Amino acid sequence: TALIAVEGLTKTYPGANGARVKAVSEVSFAIAPGEVLGVVGESGCGKSTLGRALLRLIEPDGGAIRFDGKDLMTLSKSGMKAARRDLQIVFQDPFGSLNPRHTVGGIIGEPLVVHGIGTSDSRRARVAELLGLVGLPEDAGKRFPHEFSGGQRQRIAIARALALEPKLIVADEAVSALDVSIQSQIINLIADLRRRLGLSILFISHDLSVIRHVSDRIAVMYLGRIVEIGPAEAIMESP
Ligand code: ADP
Ligand code: ADP
């Protein structure tokens, strides 16, 4: 059975002359445990709105999101906070909005603090483990995000997203800001983590050449709708 099943998800924004812009329109799909679903489509087609709506970082107008046995659309704020332990998101520019005075260790360990998990010592141990998992040196914890390259900062963001052992990660253009050679390193890391941890991933990218390397299935979005969905090979072959 599916880890997440989305039915008829819709999100509109206010547009010109009182009209509504349908950013996401009647979108339905499911992701199995351990599966990677790629979402591809040109800029503005609704990918990011879809990704954020799954975590209710953006409030959908309608539709159903069933995740790990829970109906996310009917959860209270605190229920949603609890559900987000299992449902994490990685953004294109993870540290644009974070306080640059927080250490990398503090950033990676923060979700554990927020959810009241462990002691200071056990959190430190977990942070060290997470740094190893994403291929960063242990002393990275004492340093600051701006001391790291773009690719390494994305490793930090992935470590933070993994801190609570989520079941599903939404990767929203997570490699799009990186040089091509660094992109492939991060894609390889994501593929490796997915194998080792049995993660499910919704992998959003405007770039089909990125999507094809990580996805089991691909959903193609156009003007807010999924216009095609199927095994990666089938989508790559279609005209
Ligand atoms: P993508 O991630 O594929 O580039 P988005 O989800 O960012 O697409 O945007 C989908 C559509 O919704 C676009 O037409 C965009 O202009 C519009 N949109 C996105 N965010 C907002 C917002 N906060 N207010 C109004 N319109 C928005
Ligand atoms: P605290 O005041 O608890 O240290 P922080 O927000 O700085 O709060 O850090 C959050 C958690 O991340 C800490 O509880 C700690 O376990 C872990 N942490 C912080 N700094 C480091 C570091 N340099 N190396 C490893 N883990 C760290």
Side-chain angles (χ1 to χ4, degrees), residues 100 103-104 139-140 142-150 152-153 156:
T103 63
V104 166
D139 75 346
K142 295 195 289 282
R143 291 156 63 193
F144 293 90
H146 65 262
E147 299 175 45
F148 292 87
S149 67
Q152 287 174 320
R153 286 207 296 273
I156 296 166

Side-chain angles (χ1 to χ4, degrees), residues 17-120:
N17 305 319
R20 305 288 300 181
V21 179
K22 280 198 171 184
V24 171
S25 193
E26 295 288 329
V27 161
S28 304
F29 63 87
I31 305 178
E35 185 184 37
V36 180
L37 177 67
V39 176
V40 71
E42 63 194 40
S43 177
C45 73
K47 304 181 298 298
S48 184
T49 300
L50 172 63
R52 285 161 211 240
L54 291 189
L55 286 82
R56 287 181 56 200
L57 300 176
I58 290 173
E59 217 38 79
D61 297 340
I65 307 169
R66 213 169 162 75
F67 173 69
D68 200 25
K70 292 179 280 284
D71 177 359
L72 295 193
M73 292 294 285
T74 61
L75 287 183
S76 64
K77 241 191 154 107
S78 65
M80 196 58 219
K81 183 186 164 193
R84 284 206 195 103
R85 279 183 66 157
D86 295 326
L87 178 54
Q88 295 282 314
I89 190 163
V90 176
F91 297 109
Q92 175 168 350
D93 178 15
F95 300 115
S97 60
L98 275 178
N99 187 338
R101 286 160 62 190
H102 286 166
T103 63
V104 166
I107 288 168
I108 295 173
E110 191 193 3
L112 302 169
V113 176
V114 168
H115 286 272
I117 294 166
T119 61
S120 184

